[in-house]
Amino acid sequence: MRNKKLIPFEIIEKAVAGEPEAIDAVLRHYTAHIKYLSMYKGRINDDAQDRLKAKLVEAMLKFRFDR
């Protein structure tokens, strides 16, 4: 039985390798959480949202499995 809340490991591997479709899948998975974190006075702050997405992509590309 698979947990639907988790991103499949294969997608994570591909995102870490820099595959654009996989990175997009990870960003789509976290879209609601990113929007929640970028809320300010009841409105979504687009700059904060863009920064959070950029930081997530940066973290994916720096991640290493061999540690």
Side-chain angles (χ1 to χ4, degrees):
M1 183 175 237
R2 193 176 132 182
N3 187 343
K4 293 184 180 185
K5 292 183 179 182
L6 298 177
I7 301 171
F9 183 72
E10 296 80 24
I11 299 292
I12 295 171
E13 280 183 317
K14 290 176 183 178
V16 168
E19 197 168 304
E21 296 87 16
I23 291 173
D24 187 50
V26 173
L27 287 173
R28 277 182 284 144
H29 179 81
Y30 286 108
T31 296
H33 191 64
I34 289 171
K35 284 183 180 182
Y36 172 77
L37 292 174
S38 64
M39 293 288 279
Y40 180 71
K41 294 185 179 182
R43 305 189 85 205
I44 294 175
N45 183 326
D46 290 330
D47 292 334
Q49 189 174 1
D50 291 342
R51 271 195 309 270
L52 288 169
K53 286 180 181 180
K55 285 290 188 179
L56 178 57
V57 171
E58 181 183 330
M60 281 188 278
L61 297 175
K62 285 184 179 179
F63 188 81
R64 293 179 47 196
F65 288 105
D66 62 351
R67 287 191 241 165

